Amino acid sequence: MSMLRRPRATALLASATFLALVACGGSSGDGTQSKSVRIILGHLRFAPSSVTVEAGTTVRFVLANSDAIDHEFVLGSEDVQNEHARMRMGGGHMMDSSGAVSVPPSKTVELTHTFDEPGTVLYGCHVADHYEQGMKGTVTVT
């Protein structure tokens, strides 16, 4: 009886693998690319700490906080990171920006961004002194 179930299990596994690959990236039909990137926020690090995409790609960041403390994901240039840090140091809250989200403890949130031009875009967490302790990463746009 287990012999009969193996082909079905193999077919289900193949289908699940195909769906996972489709969810990770593809074309929208109008020439733009899309991609999902899962990033774990924990232990004062982002994993992965670097991502590479082609210009014109829309990325859906799936941000999972594995810690019991708040984190955030701020996407932008060094100037954006510095301005966000200044706001936080002044007792303010997170910048009102489409490139910044709070990620509560043990929660997962999403942020979608289209990378139009080649270059390097930073991401970081500015809660307390997390950024200074290395909680930062880069998106390289080719």
Side-chain angles (χ1 to χ4, degrees), residues 34-117:
S34 62
K35 178 178 186 174
S36 288
V37 175
R38 182 174 177 82
I39 298 180
I40 308 297
L41 293 75
H43 305 289
L44 297 176
R45 298 286 180 261
F46 290 104
S49 62
S50 65
V51 176
T52 301
V53 300
E54 291 182 20
T57 301
T58 297
V59 177
R60 179 175 60 101
F61 292 99
V62 179
L63 307 162
N65 184 346
S66 65
D67 285 337
I69 60 172
D70 286 326
H71 287 300
E72 62 186 11
F73 183 84
V74 178
L75 184 65
S77 66
E78 188 69 42
D79 288 343
V80 167
Q81 300 297 327
N82 290 335
E83 177 62 21
H84 187 80
R86 277 192 293 278
M87 288 181 70
R88 297 283 285 176
M89 286 175 52
H93 296 286
M94 189 166 47
M95 287 182 355
D96 184 20
S97 166
S98 62
V101 293
S102 290
V103 188
S106 302
K107 300 291 182 187
T108 299
V109 300
E110 294 183 5
L111 179 132
T112 301
H113 183 81
T114 300
F115 295 91
D116 293 319
E117 298 185 21

